[in-house]
């Protein structure tokens, strides 16, 4: 299939393009590089030993996006482009609605005008909010606790309404849990701007000497060791879930939300110990106050992904920590 990938130069987009190429799909990547580097796509080409089209396009720019869509004429779109920092979304909510919601609207309009009826959307487990029960299944009430999560939920609803109104359309709303890890080559990985918000890139920067210690946000949660628990999903498993989702939407119509997680929760200290073992470096920690808005624990019911996509996570904590360390130690300053 011909697959247009928005946000293709980003962390998850770059890993997904590699898996799409390996599965024999033709790819075109669009990105405005607001949170990524074109170097990631150069490396994907090298790893895949294959070429693909690429354009510097903001998905909200209807005329440029329309031109690319008309020329490439995709069978399906994977929509990664968006902003993802929870704390920033509280400070600049309009930027988040503009990028994540308006960007999705503009993309669907461009799809309509080029008769493309299939989309895979990057959603997030954050759409569930405070757990009523665990594991979260896809029927869990949707009540995101932050602006970022609300932009994802609105975008999901826009896609579901578009899909219902468009004969023959199909959409997969993939609700990712906590994506981590890197490609086994160490050539592509997560390269956040400035101080990382997320746990694993922060831990990796401590191991490589860029930061003195990790602040652990709370050790008094009602969890096994008192630190927060999450369902960490290896980015290569996540990338493969997109390949499975592309296959699903090519054969079906309608809109499906699907959790993409492992079904297992690890604590902050599990991740720290895993990383120490993988890197043979100590990760000094300081226990500090809980971070505002953090939940104690959540993880996926991943059964729908198994049934509908025939996909399950195959990589565990060892591969997550080993690949993150391989990426970070080979690229201490990321793509810079
Ligand atoms: P990322 O920032 O690495 O990738 C997003 C890419 O989109 C970047 O390359 C960025 O430059 C590009 N982009 C942003 N706005 C754009 C625009 N208007 N037009 C064109 N390109 C634009 O983030 P990621 O971790 O790869 O996340 C990809 C998607 O998955 C995002 O939509 C994110 O919300 C979602 N998601 C991420 C996580 C996570 O923890 N990483 C979890 C759940 C969902
Ligand atoms: C994981 C655990 C922290 C940093 C976020 C978004 C979510 C999704 C994934 C996009 C928590 C603890 C963290 C640190 C720490 N993104 N931690 N010290 O908050 O579960 O999820 O990313 O969709 O929407 O909310 O991920 O990696 O920030 O935190 O102790 O320096 O690590 O308290 O328990 P989170 P995270």
């Amino acid at each position: 299939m011909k697959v247009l990938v928005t946000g293709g130069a980003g962390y998850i987009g770059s890993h997904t393009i590699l898996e799409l190429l390996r599965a024999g799909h033709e790819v075109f990547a669009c990105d405005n590089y607001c949170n990524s580097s074109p170097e990631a796509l150069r490396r994907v080409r090298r790893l895949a030993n294959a070429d693909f089209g690429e354009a510097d396009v903001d998905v909200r720019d209807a005329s440029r996006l329309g031109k690319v869509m008309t020329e490439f004429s995709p069978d399906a779109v994977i929509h990664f482009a968006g902003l993802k920092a929870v704390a920033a979304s509280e400070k600049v909510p309009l930027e988040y609605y503009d990028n994540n919601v308006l960007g999705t609207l503009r993309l669907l309009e461009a799809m309509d005008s080029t008769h493309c009826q299939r989309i895979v959307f990057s959603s997030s487990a954050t759409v569930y909010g405070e757990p009523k029960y665990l594991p979260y299944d896809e029927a869990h009430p949707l009540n995101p606790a932050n602006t970022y999560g609300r932009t994802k939920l609105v975008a999901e609803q826009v896609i579901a309404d578009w899909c219902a109104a468009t004969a023959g359309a199909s959409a997969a709303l993939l609700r990712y849990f906590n994506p981590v890890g890197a490609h086994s080559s160490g050539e592509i990985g997560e390269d956040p701007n400035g101080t990382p918000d997320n746990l694993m890139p922060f831990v990796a920067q401590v191991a490589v000497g860029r930061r003195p210690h990790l602040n652990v946000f709370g050790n008094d949660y009602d969890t096994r060791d008192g630190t927060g628990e999450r369902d960490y999903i290896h980015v290569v498993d996540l990338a493969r879930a997109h390949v499975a989702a592309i296959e699903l939407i090519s054969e079906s119509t309608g809109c499906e939300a699907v959790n993409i997680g492992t079904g297992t929760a690890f604590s902050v200290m599990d991740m720290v110990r895993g990383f120490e073992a993988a890197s043979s470096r100590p990760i000094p920690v300081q226990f500090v106050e809980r971070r505002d808005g953090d939940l104690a624990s959540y993880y996926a019911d991943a059964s729908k992904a198994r049934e509908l996509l025939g996909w399950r996570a195959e990589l565990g904590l060892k591969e997550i920590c080993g690949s993150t360390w391989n990426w970070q130690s080979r690229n201490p300053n990321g793509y810079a």
Side-chain angles (χ1 to χ4, degrees):
M1 293 230 293
K2 291 170 78 170
V3 186
L4 183 117
V5 182
T6 76
Y11 171 45
I12 305 169
S14 53
H15 288 80
T16 300
I17 291 177
L18 184 54
E19 296 303 319
L20 287 167
L21 293 169
R22 290 202 163 147
H25 295 288
E26 190 182 339
V27 170
F28 193 99
C30 290
D31 206 296
N32 67 359
Y33 308 104
C34 69
N35 196 38
S36 57
S37 161
E39 174 62 16
L41 293 179
R42 283 195 280 277
R43 294 187 185 190
V44 170
R45 286 189 183 88
R46 269 209 311 270
L47 288 170
N49 195 21
D51 202 7
F52 53 87
E54 173 184 353
D56 182 347
V57 172
D58 189 303
V59 290
R60 292 161 297 180
D61 182 338
S63 106
R64 284 176 68 84
L65 182 64
K67 189 167 177 291
V68 162
M69 292 277 294
T70 304
E71 280 168 13
F72 183 60
S73 188
D75 302 305
V77 170
I78 305 182
H79 183 33
F80 292 108
L83 302 178
K84 64 168 181 176
V86 172
S89 76
E90 304 297 347
K91 294 201 183 88
V92 287
L94 300 187
E95 276 182 38
Y96 273 68
Y97 279 99
D98 185 52
N99 206 329
N100 294 359
V101 177
L102 195 67
T104 303
L105 272 177
R106 289 286 102 86
L107 178 63
L108 293 170
E109 288 162 358
M111 288 171 63
D112 272 349
S113 51
T114 52
H115 311 292
C116 177
Q117 298 190 316
R118 301 183 179 103
I119 183 167
V120 177
F121 175 63
S122 294
S123 190
S124 169
T126 200
V127 296
Y128 295 119
E130 185 69 39
K132 301 275 185 227
Y133 55 84
L134 284 172
Y136 290 129
D137 58 24
E138 290 81 357
H140 186 282
L142 303 175
N143 186 21
N146 55 65
T147 301
Y148 163 73
R150 286 186 285 275
T151 68
K152 286 288 170 186
L153 181 55
V154 175
E156 278 199 5
Q157 290 167 338
V158 169
I159 293 169
D161 287 342
W162 166 83
C163 202
T166 308
S170 57
L173 312 171
L174 302 187
R175 294 179 179 153
Y176 315 155
F177 279 66
N178 284 59
V180 286
H183 189 258
S184 58
S185 63
E187 286 289 301
I188 55 172
E190 187 169 14
D191 181 21
N193 282 331
T195 307
D197 292 323
N198 295 117
L199 177 66
M200 283 306 274
F202 202 106
V203 168
Q205 291 189 10
V206 173
V208 86
R210 272 171 74 177
R211 310 201 178 264
H213 66 269
L214 170 74
N215 286 323
V216 176
F217 300 140
N219 61 349
D220 56 353
Y221 284 109
D222 184 16
T223 57
R224 277 174 293 119
D225 65 15
T227 66
E229 294 172 339
R230 295 290 182 273
D231 184 334
Y232 293 96
I233 170 87
H234 196 298
V235 67
V236 173
D237 274 331
L238 177 57
R240 291 176 181 152
H242 290 79
V243 178
I246 283 289
E247 281 158 19
L248 171 78
I249 63 172
S250 70
E251 294 158 359
S252 60
T253 57
C255 182
E256 294 283 355
V258 190
N259 286 341
I260 305 295
T262 65
T264 307
F266 288 112
S267 71
V268 174
M269 292 312 294
D270 289 334
M271 301 309 283
V272 167
R273 287 192 203 99
F275 208 88
E276 287 182 325
S279 63
S280 307
R281 304 247 174 136
I283 309 290
V285 301
Q286 282 184 9
F287 295 108
V288 299
E289 289 295 291
R290 294 179 180 191
R291 184 171 64 180
D292 271 356
D294 268 355
L295 298 170
S297 178
Y298 62 82
Y299 55 104
D301 178 334
S303 51
K304 187 171 175 185
R306 275 200 301 280
E307 287 151 21
L308 202 63
L309 303 178
W311 169 93
R312 67 165 71 215
E314 281 167 5
L315 302 167
L317 187 61
K318 205 167 165 213
E319 290 91 356
I320 285 170
C321 294
S323 63
T324 306
W325 175 239
N326 190 32
W327 153 252
Q328 188 72 63
S329 53
R330 282 166 182 255
N331 305 272
N333 298 307
Y335 293 113

